[in-house]
Amino acid sequence: MSAEIIDGKALAETIRARVADEAKKLGLKPGLAAVLVGDNPASQVYVRNKVKQTEEAGLLSFEHRLPDATPEADLLKLVEKLNADPSVHGILVQLPLPDHIDPDLVIRAIDPMKDVDGFHPLNVGRLGIGQDSLVPCTPQGCILLAKTVHTSLEGLDAVVLGRSNIVGKPVAQLLIQESATVTVAHSKTRDLDEVCARADLLVAAVGRAELVKRHWIKPGATVIDVGINRVAGSVPGKTKLVGDVAFADCSEVAGAITPVPGGVGPMTIACLLANTLKAACWAAGKPAPRF
Ligand code: NDP
């Protein structure tokens, strides 16, 4: 069997186009403020891409780059200012922050109605009890990708590999809302291969290059690979990106699978824009479109 390759780039493009379209109808320009502290190279690339795609979707983008030595109090003041700014509907503070800044304190300072990363405890709690909330972007992307294969996830045996606050746990919450039967596996799970091999839908978010092997996949299963791992490439001195799933082998068994790159990755920013649109709709007192 050769799996269907789930095209995250194409789906992300469709979502961005819809965000652009809905934003035009809204009568106000959704605004996203991105705050970057320090000069972490990966964070710089992420923020640059977020700003570029925000502008391309016709949304307002506000970029705040602060030096690495920025005191925590100054960052909190900036967040307070953005909370009060009516032209800013979404606020994202790029993680990780320098060691002297407590990320939990900063996340809690963001107005939950503008918390487009969905990390504020209020949004985490609302997601847990099934209330409408700003949902973390990568998990939301995983569900939308799975839904390109299954019109409904109801009753599927879903295994989420990884239990982090930013990926594994929210993916599991969303799958419960979709009425899947959810198992969350992690580093202490026994017989991991057997647990995964029961999954109709496997979401891998462990950050371990190609951990998931062919025999971990139930024939015909849908596999969503969140992992982004940089490993040595075939050309000496060059690296390449691989996921948490051994793609070539597993795609011979799976029914559908996301590639890395080009699967979950592009969906994260698309969902960030969708969340910014949602926050702007709330600010305008209008219903937010569903994606
Ligand atoms: P974390 O390191 O926070 O969490 C990893 C999880 O995997 C933990 O729950 C850990 O278990 C579990 N785990 C680690 N090793 C094993 C193992 N050998 N067997 C079973 N479980 C294991 O990672 P994140 O959730 O933040 O990210 C996961 C991956 O997703 C990374 O590659 C990251 O780069 C990528 N990512 C991609 C995004 C995208 O946009 N595509 C966005 C965010 C993340 P335990 O809790 O027991 O320690």
PDB file of all heavy atoms in Angstrom, residues 138 161-164 166-167 186-188 192 205-208 211 226-229 244 264-265 268, ligand 1:
ATOM      1  N   THR A 138      -0.794  24.584  16.425  1.00  0.00           N
ATOM      2  CA  THR A 138      -0.325  23.316  15.842  1.00  0.00           C
ATOM      3  C   THR A 138      -1.356  22.197  16.076  1.00  0.00           C
ATOM      4  O   THR A 138      -1.688  21.461  15.127  1.00  0.00           O
ATOM      5  CB  THR A 138       1.061  22.940  16.425  1.00  0.00           C
ATOM      6  OG1 THR A 138       1.955  24.021  16.147  1.00  0.00           O
ATOM      7  CG2 THR A 138       1.607  21.669  15.829  1.00  0.00           C
ATOM      8  N   LEU A 161       0.993  10.593  20.546  1.00  0.00           N
ATOM      9  CA  LEU A 161       2.308  10.236  21.074  1.00  0.00           C
ATOM     10  C   LEU A 161       2.983  11.538  21.506  1.00  0.00           C
ATOM     11  O   LEU A 161       3.368  12.350  20.661  1.00  0.00           O
ATOM     12  CB  LEU A 161       3.080   9.525  19.964  1.00  0.00           C
ATOM     13  CG  LEU A 161       4.395   8.826  20.248  1.00  0.00           C
ATOM     14  CD1 LEU A 161       4.347   8.026  21.528  1.00  0.00           C
ATOM     15  CD2 LEU A 161       4.723   7.912  19.076  1.00  0.00           C
ATOM     16  N   GLY A 162       3.074  11.763  22.826  1.00  0.00           N
ATOM     17  CA  GLY A 162       3.593  13.026  23.369  1.00  0.00           C
ATOM     18  C   GLY A 162       2.516  13.692  24.204  1.00  0.00           C
ATOM     19  O   GLY A 162       1.328  13.618  23.856  1.00  0.00           O
ATOM     20  N   ARG A 163       2.923  14.282  25.344  1.00  0.00           N
ATOM     21  CA  ARG A 163       1.934  14.899  26.243  1.00  0.00           C
ATOM     22  C   ARG A 163       2.370  16.301  26.661  1.00  0.00           C
ATOM     23  O   ARG A 163       2.176  16.711  27.811  1.00  0.00           O
ATOM     24  CB  ARG A 163       1.735  14.014  27.473  1.00  0.00           C
ATOM     25  CG  ARG A 163       3.034  13.735  28.220  1.00  0.00           C
ATOM     26  CD  ARG A 163       2.817  13.051  29.539  1.00  0.00           C
ATOM     27  NE  ARG A 163       4.076  12.540  30.054  1.00  0.00           N
ATOM     28  CZ  ARG A 163       4.227  11.877  31.192  1.00  0.00           C
ATOM     29  NH1 ARG A 163       3.168  11.656  31.942  1.00  0.00           N
ATOM     30  NH2 ARG A 163       5.395  11.456  31.584  1.00  0.00           N
ATOM     31  N   SER A 164       3.007  17.025  25.731  1.00  0.00           N
ATOM     32  CA  SER A 164       3.429  18.390  26.083  1.00  0.00           C
ATOM     33  C   SER A 164       2.203  19.301  26.160  1.00  0.00           C
ATOM     34  O   SER A 164       1.147  19.000  25.585  1.00  0.00           O
ATOM     35  CB  SER A 164       4.421  18.936  25.056  1.00  0.00           C
ATOM     36  OG  SER A 164       3.749  19.233  23.855  1.00  0.00           O
ATOM     37  N   ILE A 166       1.974  22.165  24.811  1.00  0.00           N
ATOM     38  CA  ILE A 166       1.701  22.935  23.586  1.00  0.00           C
ATOM     39  C   ILE A 166       1.233  22.070  22.417  1.00  0.00           C
ATOM     40  O   ILE A 166       0.616  22.571  21.498  1.00  0.00           O
ATOM     41  CB  ILE A 166       2.894  23.834  23.167  1.00  0.00           C
ATOM     42  CG1 ILE A 166       4.131  22.998  22.840  1.00  0.00           C
ATOM     43  CG2 ILE A 166       3.219  24.862  24.219  1.00  0.00           C
ATOM     44  CD1 ILE A 166       5.177  23.821  22.096  1.00  0.00           C
ATOM     45  N   VAL A 167       1.519  20.772  22.457  1.00  0.00           N
ATOM     46  CA  VAL A 167       1.059  19.919  21.348  1.00  0.00           C
ATOM     47  C   VAL A 167       0.220  18.732  21.866  1.00  0.00           C
ATOM     48  O   VAL A 167      -0.991  18.679  21.644  1.00  0.00           O
ATOM     49  CB  VAL A 167       2.224  19.400  20.467  1.00  0.00           C
ATOM     50  CG1 VAL A 167       1.635  18.726  19.223  1.00  0.00           C
ATOM     51  CG2 VAL A 167       3.180  20.497  20.051  1.00  0.00           C
ATOM     52  N   HIS A 186       3.484   8.382  26.099  1.00  0.00           N
ATOM     53  CA  HIS A 186       4.627   9.264  26.406  1.00  0.00           C
ATOM     54  C   HIS A 186       5.835   8.409  26.736  1.00  0.00           C
ATOM     55  O   HIS A 186       5.815   7.182  26.518  1.00  0.00           O
ATOM     56  CB  HIS A 186       4.252  10.224  27.550  1.00  0.00           C
ATOM     57  CG  HIS A 186       3.544   9.543  28.657  1.00  0.00           C
ATOM     58  ND1 HIS A 186       4.195   8.759  29.578  1.00  0.00           N
ATOM     59  CD2 HIS A 186       2.213   9.461  28.947  1.00  0.00           C
ATOM     60  CE1 HIS A 186       3.300   8.251  30.413  1.00  0.00           C
ATOM     61  NE2 HIS A 186       2.094   8.651  30.052  1.00  0.00           N
ATOM     62  N   SER A 187       6.849   9.024  27.323  1.00  0.00           N
ATOM     63  CA  SER A 187       8.111   8.292  27.510  1.00  0.00           C
ATOM     64  C   SER A 187       8.000   7.160  28.530  1.00  0.00           C
ATOM     65  O   SER A 187       8.868   6.290  28.580  1.00  0.00           O
ATOM     66  CB  SER A 187       9.223   9.259  27.916  1.00  0.00           C
ATOM     67  OG  SER A 187       8.981   9.761  29.212  1.00  0.00           O
ATOM     68  N   LYS A 188       6.957   7.157  29.345  1.00  0.00           N
ATOM     69  CA  LYS A 188       6.807   6.087  30.344  1.00  0.00           C
ATOM     70  C   LYS A 188       5.811   5.016  29.886  1.00  0.00           C
ATOM     71  O   LYS A 188       5.514   4.075  30.625  1.00  0.00           O
ATOM     72  CB  LYS A 188       6.318   6.674  31.692  1.00  0.00           C
ATOM     73  CG  LYS A 188       7.165   7.822  32.235  1.00  0.00           C
ATOM     74  CD  LYS A 188       8.550   7.347  32.659  1.00  0.00           C
ATOM     75  CE  LYS A 188       9.366   8.462  33.273  1.00  0.00           C
ATOM     76  NZ  LYS A 188       9.905   9.404  32.292  1.00  0.00           N
ATOM     77  N   LEU A 192       5.094   0.695  23.598  1.00  0.00           N
ATOM     78  CA  LEU A 192       4.688   1.845  22.775  1.00  0.00           C
ATOM     79  C   LEU A 192       4.303   1.424  21.353  1.00  0.00           C
ATOM     80  O   LEU A 192       3.321   1.929  20.788  1.00  0.00           O
ATOM     81  CB  LEU A 192       5.867   2.823  22.745  1.00  0.00           C
ATOM     82  CG  LEU A 192       5.613   4.252  22.362  1.00  0.00           C
ATOM     83  CD1 LEU A 192       4.541   4.870  23.239  1.00  0.00           C
ATOM     84  CD2 LEU A 192       6.909   5.057  22.479  1.00  0.00           C
ATOM     85  N   ALA A 205       4.096  13.470  18.273  1.00  0.00           N
ATOM     86  CA  ALA A 205       4.672  14.766  18.687  1.00  0.00           C
ATOM     87  C   ALA A 205       5.651  14.512  19.826  1.00  0.00           C
ATOM     88  O   ALA A 205       5.383  14.832  20.979  1.00  0.00           O
ATOM     89  CB  ALA A 205       3.573  15.728  19.111  1.00  0.00           C
ATOM     90  N   VAL A 206       6.786  13.917  19.482  1.00  0.00           N
ATOM     91  CA  VAL A 206       7.770  13.562  20.501  1.00  0.00           C
ATOM     92  C   VAL A 206       9.104  14.273  20.347  1.00  0.00           C
ATOM     93  O   VAL A 206       9.877  14.377  21.290  1.00  0.00           O
ATOM     94  CB  VAL A 206       8.033  12.029  20.545  1.00  0.00           C
ATOM     95  CG1 VAL A 206       6.947  11.298  21.255  1.00  0.00           C
ATOM     96  CG2 VAL A 206       8.271  11.459  19.173  1.00  0.00           C
ATOM     97  N   GLY A 207       9.413  14.735  19.134  1.00  0.00           N
ATOM     98  CA  GLY A 207      10.716  15.364  18.927  1.00  0.00           C
ATOM     99  C   GLY A 207      11.856  14.355  18.921  1.00  0.00           C
ATOM    100  O   GLY A 207      12.957  14.655  19.376  1.00  0.00           O
ATOM    101  N   ARG A 208      11.579  13.140  18.424  1.00  0.00           N
ATOM    102  CA  ARG A 208      12.628  12.104  18.299  1.00  0.00           C
ATOM    103  C   ARG A 208      12.622  11.646  16.836  1.00  0.00           C
ATOM    104  O   ARG A 208      11.632  11.047  16.377  1.00  0.00           O
ATOM    105  CB  ARG A 208      12.329  10.879  19.181  1.00  0.00           C
ATOM    106  CG  ARG A 208      12.252  11.176  20.659  1.00  0.00           C
ATOM    107  CD  ARG A 208      13.648  11.213  21.285  1.00  0.00           C
ATOM    108  NE  ARG A 208      13.582  11.516  22.694  1.00  0.00           N
ATOM    109  CZ  ARG A 208      13.605  12.744  23.223  1.00  0.00           C
ATOM    110  NH1 ARG A 208      13.683  13.792  22.437  1.00  0.00           N
ATOM    111  NH2 ARG A 208      13.565  12.918  24.530  1.00  0.00           N
ATOM    112  N   LEU A 211      11.308   8.055  15.196  1.00  0.00           N
ATOM    113  CA  LEU A 211      11.050   7.074  16.274  1.00  0.00           C
ATOM    114  C   LEU A 211       9.998   6.039  15.843  1.00  0.00           C
ATOM    115  O   LEU A 211      10.103   4.853  16.126  1.00  0.00           O
ATOM    116  CB  LEU A 211      10.560   7.817  17.532  1.00  0.00           C
ATOM    117  CG  LEU A 211      10.116   6.945  18.699  1.00  0.00           C
ATOM    118  CD1 LEU A 211      11.327   6.402  19.450  1.00  0.00           C
ATOM    119  CD2 LEU A 211       9.239   7.740  19.681  1.00  0.00           C
ATOM    120  N   VAL A 226       4.015  15.536  13.711  1.00  0.00           N
ATOM    121  CA  VAL A 226       4.253  16.921  14.152  1.00  0.00           C
ATOM    122  C   VAL A 226       5.758  17.216  14.266  1.00  0.00           C
ATOM    123  O   VAL A 226       6.192  18.358  14.169  1.00  0.00           O
ATOM    124  CB  VAL A 226       3.571  17.180  15.525  1.00  0.00           C
ATOM    125  CG1 VAL A 226       3.712  18.632  15.942  1.00  0.00           C
ATOM    126  CG2 VAL A 226       2.103  16.802  15.472  1.00  0.00           C
ATOM    127  N   GLY A 227       6.547  16.168  14.430  1.00  0.00           N
ATOM    128  CA  GLY A 227       7.974  16.347  14.745  1.00  0.00           C
ATOM    129  C   GLY A 227       8.747  17.141  13.710  1.00  0.00           C
ATOM    130  O   GLY A 227       8.502  17.033  12.501  1.00  0.00           O
ATOM    131  N   ILE A 228       9.650  17.952  14.204  1.00  0.00           N
ATOM    132  CA  ILE A 228      10.601  18.654  13.328  1.00  0.00           C
ATOM    133  C   ILE A 228      11.983  18.376  13.914  1.00  0.00           C
ATOM    134  O   ILE A 228      12.313  18.892  14.988  1.00  0.00           O
ATOM    135  CB  ILE A 228      10.345  20.175  13.296  1.00  0.00           C
ATOM    136  CG1 ILE A 228       8.922  20.475  12.816  1.00  0.00           C
ATOM    137  CG2 ILE A 228      11.366  20.875  12.408  1.00  0.00           C
ATOM    138  CD1 ILE A 228       8.571  21.960  12.834  1.00  0.00           C
ATOM    139  N   ASN A 229      12.745  17.546  13.252  1.00  0.00           N
ATOM    140  CA  ASN A 229      14.063  17.160  13.769  1.00  0.00           C
ATOM    141  C   ASN A 229      15.110  17.379  12.687  1.00  0.00           C
ATOM    142  O   ASN A 229      14.903  16.975  11.537  1.00  0.00           O
ATOM    143  CB  ASN A 229      14.060  15.679  14.167  1.00  0.00           C
ATOM    144  CG  ASN A 229      12.898  15.323  15.078  1.00  0.00           C
ATOM    145  OD1 ASN A 229      12.890  15.686  16.239  1.00  0.00           O
ATOM    146  ND2 ASN A 229      11.885  14.635  14.541  1.00  0.00           N
ATOM    147  N   ASP A 244       8.949  12.727  13.291  1.00  0.00           N
ATOM    148  CA  ASP A 244       9.038  11.694  14.334  1.00  0.00           C
ATOM    149  C   ASP A 244       8.693  10.316  13.775  1.00  0.00           C
ATOM    150  O   ASP A 244       8.756   9.317  14.488  1.00  0.00           O
ATOM    151  CB  ASP A 244       8.061  12.020  15.474  1.00  0.00           C
ATOM    152  CG  ASP A 244       8.490  13.249  16.251  1.00  0.00           C
ATOM    153  OD1 ASP A 244       9.678  13.621  16.170  1.00  0.00           O
ATOM    154  OD2 ASP A 244       7.629  13.850  16.936  1.00  0.00           O
ATOM    155  N   VAL A 264       2.380  19.307   8.864  1.00  0.00           N
ATOM    156  CA  VAL A 264       1.838  20.102   9.988  1.00  0.00           C
ATOM    157  C   VAL A 264       2.437  21.512  10.016  1.00  0.00           C
ATOM    158  O   VAL A 264       1.737  22.481  10.321  1.00  0.00           O
ATOM    159  CB  VAL A 264       2.114  19.377  11.335  1.00  0.00           C
ATOM    160  CG1 VAL A 264       1.671  20.230  12.510  1.00  0.00           C
ATOM    161  CG2 VAL A 264       1.411  18.023  11.369  1.00  0.00           C
ATOM    162  N   GLY A 265       3.731  21.613   9.692  1.00  0.00           N
ATOM    163  CA  GLY A 265       4.443  22.902   9.801  1.00  0.00           C
ATOM    164  C   GLY A 265       3.677  24.085   9.216  1.00  0.00           C
ATOM    165  O   GLY A 265       3.384  25.043   9.936  1.00  0.00           O
ATOM    166  N   THR A 268       0.560  25.574  11.125  1.00  0.00           N
ATOM    167  CA  THR A 268       0.655  26.311  12.381  1.00  0.00           C
ATOM    168  C   THR A 268       0.412  27.808  12.156  1.00  0.00           C
ATOM    169  O   THR A 268      -0.397  28.425  12.867  1.00  0.00           O
ATOM    170  CB  THR A 268       2.025  26.042  13.037  1.00  0.00           C
ATOM    171  OG1 THR A 268       2.107  24.636  13.288  1.00  0.00           O
ATOM    172  CG2 THR A 268       2.185  26.787  14.342  1.00  0.00           C
TER     173      THR A 268
HETATM  174  P1  NDP B   1       8.264  18.212  24.172  1.00  0.00           P
HETATM  175  O1  NDP B   1       9.713  17.869  24.250  1.00  0.00           O
HETATM  176  O2  NDP B   1       7.732  19.296  25.008  1.00  0.00           O
HETATM  177  O3  NDP B   1       7.409  16.902  24.469  1.00  0.00           O
HETATM  178  C1  NDP B   1       7.775  15.668  23.934  1.00  0.00           C
HETATM  179  C2  NDP B   1       6.823  14.596  24.398  1.00  0.00           C
HETATM  180  O4  NDP B   1       7.235  13.377  23.798  1.00  0.00           O
HETATM  181  C3  NDP B   1       6.828  14.374  25.915  1.00  0.00           C
HETATM  182  O5  NDP B   1       5.519  14.156  26.363  1.00  0.00           O
HETATM  183  C4  NDP B   1       7.687  13.125  26.099  1.00  0.00           C
HETATM  184  O6  NDP B   1       7.279  12.293  27.161  1.00  0.00           O
HETATM  185  C5  NDP B   1       7.427  12.388  24.813  1.00  0.00           C
HETATM  186  N1  NDP B   1       8.588  11.558  24.429  1.00  0.00           N
HETATM  187  C6  NDP B   1       9.858  11.952  24.262  1.00  0.00           C
HETATM  188  N2  NDP B   1      10.618  10.908  23.913  1.00  0.00           N
HETATM  189  C7  NDP B   1       9.823   9.830  23.864  1.00  0.00           C
HETATM  190  C8  NDP B   1      10.013   8.461  23.554  1.00  0.00           C
HETATM  191  N3  NDP B   1      11.214   7.975  23.221  1.00  0.00           N
HETATM  192  N4  NDP B   1       8.948   7.641  23.613  1.00  0.00           N
HETATM  193  C9  NDP B   1       7.726   8.107  23.948  1.00  0.00           C
HETATM  194  N5  NDP B   1       7.475   9.404  24.238  1.00  0.00           N
HETATM  195  C10 NDP B   1       8.509  10.244  24.195  1.00  0.00           C
HETATM  196  O7  NDP B   1       8.011  18.478  22.614  1.00  0.00           O
HETATM  197  P2  NDP B   1       6.838  19.318  21.885  1.00  0.00           P
HETATM  198  O8  NDP B   1       5.528  18.703  22.176  1.00  0.00           O
HETATM  199  O9  NDP B   1       7.031  20.757  22.117  1.00  0.00           O
HETATM  200  O10 NDP B   1       7.232  19.047  20.361  1.00  0.00           O
HETATM  201  C11 NDP B   1       7.228  17.757  19.814  1.00  0.00           C
HETATM  202  C12 NDP B   1       7.772  17.827  18.400  1.00  0.00           C
HETATM  203  O11 NDP B   1       6.919  18.637  17.615  1.00  0.00           O
HETATM  204  C13 NDP B   1       9.158  18.473  18.281  1.00  0.00           C
HETATM  205  O12 NDP B   1       9.864  17.833  17.223  1.00  0.00           O
HETATM  206  C14 NDP B   1       8.855  19.895  17.883  1.00  0.00           C
HETATM  207  O13 NDP B   1       9.908  20.491  17.150  1.00  0.00           O
HETATM  208  C15 NDP B   1       7.654  19.691  17.003  1.00  0.00           C
HETATM  209  N6  NDP B   1       6.775  20.865  16.920  1.00  0.00           N
HETATM  210  C16 NDP B   1       6.353  21.207  15.667  1.00  0.00           C
HETATM  211  C17 NDP B   1       5.524  22.284  15.500  1.00  0.00           C
HETATM  212  C18 NDP B   1       5.058  22.604  14.129  1.00  0.00           C
HETATM  213  O14 NDP B   1       4.660  23.714  13.868  1.00  0.00           O
HETATM  214  N7  NDP B   1       5.058  21.648  13.209  1.00  0.00           N
HETATM  215  C19 NDP B   1       5.103  23.122  16.619  1.00  0.00           C
HETATM  216  C20 NDP B   1       5.512  22.616  17.920  1.00  0.00           C
HETATM  217  C21 NDP B   1       6.338  21.522  18.036  1.00  0.00           C
HETATM  218  P3  NDP B   1       7.367  12.723  28.718  1.00  0.00           P
HETATM  219  O15 NDP B   1       6.259  13.713  28.923  1.00  0.00           O
HETATM  220  O16 NDP B   1       7.156  11.463  29.425  1.00  0.00           O
HETATM  221  O17 NDP B   1       8.735  13.331  28.886  1.00  0.00           O
END
